[in-house]
Amino acid sequence: MKRILLIIVALAAWQHWDRLEPMLLGKPQQVAGQGEVILYATSWCGYCAQTREFLGERGIAYTEMDIEKSPEARRAYDALGGRGVPVLKVNGTVIHGYNPQGILAAY
């Protein structure tokens, strides 16, 4: 039973390492970069919500475009090859899906 519990805790820690690392290792949460970040998302998407939370926790300013409410946002999303949400454009780099490491690398 203890092994199973230990495995579950280890998997949960691995899955949420991007949130745990700053607390455990004392790394700063803020990102000292600058640039344009555009989030193409929908209101109901869980990964979009995680992306919003990730950007907010790190103080990364972004512009959100709802692809269901704005025809302009939908055209831009389609032009980026969007097939799912979220899609981010970070300093010219297109990131498909929730990808914290990719966002930080492009920022």
Side-chain angles (χ1 to χ4, degrees):
M1 184 65 177
K2 289 182 182 179
R3 283 187 192 167
I4 293 172
L5 185 59
L6 182 61
I7 290 170
I8 291 171
V9 169
L11 287 172
W14 176 74
Q15 186 175 18
H16 298 287
W17 183 250
D18 61 315
R19 293 182 186 171
L20 294 174
E21 185 178 24
M23 291 185 290
L24 296 175
L25 302 178
K27 292 186 177 184
Q29 288 270 355
Q30 298 294 322
V31 176
Q34 289 188 26
E36 183 180 35
V37 179
I38 302 172
L39 170 63
Y40 297 91
T42 61
S43 59
W44 51 265
C45 168
Y47 288 113
C48 299
Q50 285 183 322
T51 302
R52 286 183 204 100
E53 183 178 338
F54 176 81
L55 295 171
E57 287 174 350
R58 283 151 184 82
I60 298 174
Y62 65 96
T63 302
E64 183 169 348
M65 306 286 282
D66 190 318
I67 65 168
E68 292 182 324
K69 294 179 181 172
S70 167
E72 176 187 336
R74 183 61 190 218
R75 283 190 296 275
Y77 166 82
D78 289 339
L80 294 173
R83 289 183 298 250
V85 285
V87 172
L88 290 97
K89 187 172 180 185
V90 182
N91 294 325
T93 301
V94 178
I95 301 167
H96 295 270
Y98 177 64
N99 183 349
Q101 290 77 21
I103 294 168
L104 292 177
Y107 191 66

